[in-house]
Amino acid sequence: MSNAAAVFEAHRDHLTGVAYRMLGSRADAEDAVQEAWLRWNAADQAGIQDPKGWLTTVTARICLDELRSARVRREAYVGPWLPEPLVERLPSAEADPADRVARADQVSYALLVVLERLTPEQRVAFVLHDLFAVPFDEVAGVLGTTSGAARQHASRARRALTGGSVRHTADLAEQQRVVSAFMTAARSGDLAGLLAVLAPDVVTVGDGGGVAPAGRRPVHGAPRVARLVLGLFETYWRRAAWRRMEPVLVNGDLGFVAEVGLAGGAVWKSTFAFAVDQGRVTGVFSQLNPAKLTLVPGPRPGEDWSLPAPPG
């Protein structure tokens, strides 16, 4: 491996993390990192004193261009657009503590959803400064503006993120309690139990990409969300020819991956991610678009509804 390739590979994971947080798509993030490699390979590397900073700036500029063009494409997207989930099996009780640290460093799915509300400039400023501690003068270089303007973009992003109804503050232990109560109520058709675990301003969003069965608009409010959840379980779960569901980690938080086989032969895979705050669910996000689930492992056979307490 050449020295240029070795230097780049040393920073690949960091660059992919930056790009994924900006774009919400693993495939797009990998494309951005590949473009950064091409630019790095063509650059005068001897004159670059800080390769990580240089590569981060280049990757961020590529992502900024992609975000600006993506806004146009998403106007034609069928239904809500949700990020591509990162799914892992639940760790065993003997999991390496270093693995738990790595999971804690992941950005939650709920945050990625809320980041979609930001302008491209706000998202880039927030991700670079607030998530990766890039100084504002370097953020300004990415955005082609002043340090003060970059600071304003990040400030507006923070206000937008804290002003919404989707709040996610729960640790894994609280998620285990709340999500278990949610799934028990949904599975048994318990409307009162479901309402008890939903925040009054809860929202549910499904992304089918115009291909899979998903609502075309978000649904807001505990009564409407509860009725929708119970209706979906009745239509697509109890009446399925076969079904599988397994608790997993979705972007480091508790969630589910499910598959259902319908009578006509169609098979739908989906992931479910949750936002949890103060003992209640504030957001339910279901990803059904097959194009965004190609790297998601299917559930193991059976109907494993159990959510074991997370390892300490």
Side-chain angles (χ1 to χ4, degrees), residues 136-221:
F136 277 121
D137 58 344
E138 297 180 27
V139 177
V142 173
L143 298 178
T145 187
T146 65
S147 178
R151 189 182 299 273
Q152 284 188 339
H153 282 306
S155 178
R156 288 169 182 157
R158 286 184 218 107
R159 288 198 297 272
L161 295 178
T162 58
S165 62
V166 179
R167 303 169 300 281
H168 183 60
T169 60
D171 60 17
L172 283 174
E174 183 180 358
Q175 292 173 39
Q176 191 272 338
R177 293 190 298 271
V178 174
V179 175
S180 288
F182 174 95
M183 295 302 297
T184 298
R187 183 187 186 190
S188 62
D190 180 3
L191 178 60
L194 202 53
L195 289 171
V197 79
L198 295 176
D201 55 355
V202 64
V203 61
T204 183
V205 186
D207 179 352
V211 178
R216 298 296 178 91
R217 294 182 179 84
V219 175
H220 298 267

